[in-house]
Amino acid sequence: ATPGCDPRGPRCARWLPARRTQQPALVMEWKGDETRLGQLCQLFQLASSPDNSVQQQVMQMLQQFSQLPDFDMYLATVFAKLTSQDEVVRQRAGLLLKTNVGRCPPGTLQPAVAEYVQAHALSAVRDSSKVIRHTAGTVISILVLKVGIVQSRPTLDQLAGCLGDHNADTV
């Protein structure tokens, strides 16, 4: 099963629209293990190695990490919140996040994961790095496809609000 997806399908895991202006409480409550966050960052850094055996080890370790039920939340944290990490580390986390979310059949993304990823991708839209902002846009696009436009309304409203922002580091 893909992490973050509900294997029971859309009937059991339908994501309902959240009409709120603040981040959901669930988003604020999740806190990953610092050791795992560090290990993930190290793996994304090692992925640049020209050594094929190192790359194979990285893939094996990422496969093990992907078994965590909150793996996508770890990826969203590395991508959007660990701004002290190298841009390439954060981008790799964001691209893997996009891939994982994209693997979920529509309507099966767990609500807590969807809310967490959406909130963090929205914050990354304002990142100083153009690469991170673009990656955030792809993550948001995939999320909208997976949870639907109606359920993504709060995210889309906030994203539309960013269009009027005079900050060059937005969208």
Side-chain angles (χ1 to χ4, degrees):
T2 303
C5 298
D6 188 328
R8 298 172 295 179
R11 289 175 293 153
C12 299
R14 191 151 316 258
W15 187 63
L16 300 174
R19 294 273 180 201
R20 44 184 114 147
T21 56
Q22 298 175 344
Q23 289 182 340
L26 217 57
V27 171
M28 303 304 271
E29 291 176 14
W30 187 86
K31 184 171 173 82
D33 179 86
E34 293 293 325
T35 302
R36 285 185 175 152
L37 285 168
Q39 290 170 338
L40 268 176
C41 290
Q42 185 177 17
L43 287 173
F44 288 127
Q45 193 70 48
L46 287 171
S48 297
S49 173
D51 186 336
N52 192 32
S53 65
V54 171
Q55 290 181 3
Q56 287 176 351
Q57 287 177 317
V58 167
M59 292 304 295
Q60 288 173 349
M61 292 299 296
L62 285 174
Q63 179 61 34
Q64 289 175 4
F65 265 105
S66 73
Q67 301 308 307
L68 296 172
D70 53 356
F71 181 57
D72 289 337
M73 294 165 114
Y74 277 100
L75 293 175
T77 300
V78 171
F79 169 61
K81 294 299 176 190
L82 299 186
T83 57
S84 62
Q85 290 294 321
D86 290 342
E87 180 180 76
V88 69
V89 168
R90 295 177 61 212
Q91 183 187 28
R92 285 180 181 145
L95 292 173
L96 184 53
L97 175 62
K98 175 194 68 111
T99 300
N100 283 352
V101 169
R103 289 180 180 151
C104 287
T108 63
L109 192 61
Q110 294 178 10
V113 173
E115 288 180 4
Y116 190 87
V117 171
Q118 284 188 52
H120 285 70
L122 275 170
S123 72
V125 166
R126 296 180 181 272
D127 197 90
S128 61
S129 165
K130 186 175 185 177
V131 170
I132 299 301
R133 291 192 308 270
H134 284 205
T135 304
T138 63
V139 170
I140 291 170
S141 296
I142 292 294
L143 275 166
V144 169
L145 285 172
K146 296 302 172 174
V147 302
I149 291 178
V150 172
Q151 290 83 357
S152 299
R153 180 74 189 262
T155 299
L156 295 173
D157 287 346
Q158 289 181 34
L159 194 56
C162 291
L163 294 175
D165 195 329
H166 297 293
N167 182 353
D169 291 340
T170 303
V171 187

